[in-house]
Amino acid sequence: MSGITRRQAIGAASAVAGAAVVGVGAAQGPAVAAGHGAEPGSFDEVYLGRRIQGGPATGHGGHHADHGGGYSVRIDGDELHIMRNADGTWISVINHYDPQATPRALARAAVDDLQGAALVPLAPATR
Amino acid sequence: MTVRKNQAQLTADEKRRFVNALLALKRDGRYDSFVSTHNDFIMSDRDDSDRVGHRSPSFLPWHRRFLIQFEQALQSVDASVALPYWDWTTDRTPAASLWAPDFLGGTGRPRDGQVTDGAFASAGNGWRINVRVDGRDFLRRSLGSSGLQLPTKAEVDSVLAMPVYDAPPWNSASDGFRNHLEGWRGVNLHNRVHVWVGGHMATGASPNDPVFWLHHAYVDKLWTQWQSRHPNAPYLPAAGTRDVVDLHDTMRPWGNVTPAEMLDHTRYYTYDVAA
């Protein structure tokens, strides 16, 4: 994942129907431009009445074996399965086809979709 | 021989048989095993490590094999059934017959996204969402509420014109036909349709919505159309690529099928119109 590739991807996304590619996350700040190298900061806030937290995964309580991610997001204490794309954007199991610019935008999008429902831990079945 | 038809052309009897076969697979548990398999892959396929079902060259042959397996399961219930495809460049509003109560049912109600008509409404026929990422056990949709428009024919044509199948780094950052069709880059075709439907289709457990199969049957048809336009363009990569399924590598979860064996769909099905 070279910087050239990343810039090309970002250029394509912003040049053509960028809103469809990066979604509402584009308004959330510079995470896309910062690229894959920079770890996003931690956050902890109440959004639409629910506590959303994000930060470096500390290895307790999560189920990271399935994706090896180094960052974790929680909604009311339950882990949201997330993944970072090569261009630095993020997706979750709730919004899997709609990359967001930051983990905070991803957490907020998940809360929007959940409409108050609780997350259910969903570890991949053994194959 | 299985003939896949445009969903808009199905007769009332064909719709009824398709819906009944879906409900039968749901009742006997086989349907949910397909949802689980898809979600397993979508959670484990990563840009920087092993990737098979998504964000990789094998996105197309993997889903072709997945749909063939699902179609065979439907045919074990009713041998007359074939997977229809949804041309979302043409049938592009919630008023399309696809979403009528005699077929897939319509969008979800505003309050909670719950689909309330058709055979897959939670109230009827036992379409309970068992493989799920949150506590809700009813099918949800929000057709078009994201504000997105479905892809146009011109956008599809711009992607079909791309001469190279896929390119390094063979993931969501790639140039080439596969990634533009998948939608991580450029005008965004496949991914955007998932988002447009909303509800379960926007999640990793997207096969919970039966429209998943009609969407992917059309994505699969677009692969065939691309092959027709570029008859000398091969599947890539050919060999020796780390974390990626090369032409003659076997694909999980089956372990006995390669992309090379998925290139010619006519071994399994044909279309109602020339692809």
Side-chain angles (χ1 to χ4, degrees):
Chain A
M1 287 163 287
S2 70
I4 290 172
T5 299
R6 187 167 63 245
R7 280 195 299 276
Q8 287 172 335
I10 293 165
S14 56
V16 189
V21 177
V22 293
V24 297
Q28 292 291 330
V32 172
H36 206 168
E39 272 297 311
S42 299
F43 65 90
D44 187 342
E45 69 179 27
V46 175
Y47 175 72
L48 297 182
R50 306 187 69 169
R51 187 175 185 189
I52 56 174
Q53 300 164 278
T58 52
H60 58 78
H63 53 271
H64 296 291
D66 48 351
H67 61 81
Y71 194 94
S72 81
V73 169
R74 290 173 188 278
I75 299 176
D76 291 339
D78 295 323
E79 183 165 7
L80 175 68
H81 183 276
I82 64 168
M83 186 181 293
R84 192 171 205 179
N85 295 322
D87 67 355
T89 59
W90 298 79
I91 55 171
S92 79
V93 74
I94 300 282
N95 297 93
H96 211 96
Y97 304 89
D98 190 15
Q100 306 289 318
T102 66
R104 187 196 302 257
L106 194 66
R108 289 176 173 177
V111 167
D112 289 341
D113 179 85
L114 285 167
Q115 295 185 284
L119 283 177
V120 171
L122 185 59
T126 52
R127 289 192 293 270
Chain B
M1 187 60 179
T2 298
V3 179
R4 293 189 179 175
K5 299 179 181 176
N6 187 319
Q7 60 79 24
Q9 306 300 325
L10 296 184
T11 66
D13 186 57
E14 286 169 333
K15 291 179 186 180
R16 185 180 57 78
R17 287 175 172 272
F18 179 64
V19 168
N20 285 342
L22 288 167
L23 295 171
L25 291 187
K26 183 70 170 177
R27 278 193 299 274
D28 71 21
R30 279 186 285 173
Y31 193 95
D32 285 347
S33 74
F34 283 91
V35 184
S36 292
T37 296
H38 186 268
N39 193 62
D40 288 351
F41 276 83
I42 216 163
M43 289 171 69
S44 64
D45 295 325
R46 293 183 61 85
D47 279 337
D48 56 1
S49 60
D50 193 38
R51 48 196 181 275
V52 179
H54 306 84
R55 59 181 66 237
S56 61
S58 47
F59 168 70
L60 290 169
W62 189 92
H63 281 84
R64 176 165 286 178
R65 180 66 184 81
F66 192 55
L67 263 63
I68 289 169
Q69 184 178 6
F70 184 74
E71 189 170 55
Q72 290 172 345
L74 291 171
Q75 290 171 343
S76 76
V77 175
D78 182 340
S80 76
V81 170
L83 282 181
Y85 59 87
W86 169 33
D87 177 354
W88 21 256
T89 70
T90 301
D91 298 304
R92 46 188 300 106
T93 76
S97 61
L98 173 66
W99 308 110
D102 70 338
F103 202 11
L104 300 190
T107 193
R109 63 188 179 192
R111 175 164 65 80
D112 58 4
Q114 183 169 337
V115 172
T116 57
D117 66 351
F120 310 102
S122 65
N125 298 301
W127 199 262
R128 181 174 186 267
I129 305 301
N130 299 306
V131 181
R132 58 185 192 263
V133 298
D134 60 62
R136 295 167 290 182
D137 65 357
F138 50 85
L139 180 64
R140 291 179 293 111
R141 291 185 190 129
S142 55
L143 303 181
S145 75
S146 57
L148 297 176
Q149 300 294 313
L150 288 167
T152 64
K153 213 171 276 299
E155 288 171 328
V156 165
D157 284 342
S158 75
V159 173
L160 291 178
M162 295 179 175
V164 177
Y165 178 76
D166 207 343
W170 316 111
N171 63 17
S172 74
S174 289
D175 199 355
F177 168 70
R178 185 276 309 167
N179 196 36
H180 281 80
L181 175 58
E182 190 170 359
W184 300 111
R185 182 166 174 179
V187 297
N188 185 358
L189 302 181
H190 152 269
N191 281 356
R192 195 192 336 170
V193 176
H194 276 274
V195 177
W196 185 88
V197 174
H200 285 99
M201 270 290 276
T203 75
S206 47
N208 273 311
D209 191 329
V211 80
F212 173 91
W213 309 103
L214 286 77
H215 172 36
H216 271 278
Y218 187 59
V219 170
D220 186 82
K221 185 169 181 289
L222 291 177
W223 183 22
T224 295
Q225 291 177 218
W226 179 84
Q227 290 173 311
S228 297
R229 290 201 197 187
H230 308 278
N232 299 316
Y235 175 93
L236 294 171
T241 315
R242 189 174 170 224
D243 294 334
V244 169
V245 181
D246 296 313
L247 179 62
H248 296 291
D249 291 346
T250 57
M251 295 186 287
R252 291 186 289 111
W254 307 286
N256 62 354
V257 61
T258 66
E261 293 165 321
M262 285 290 109
L263 298 180
D264 178 10
H265 72 282
T266 63
R267 295 166 59 184
Y268 303 94
Y269 51 87
T270 57
Y271 289 106
D272 52 347
V273 293

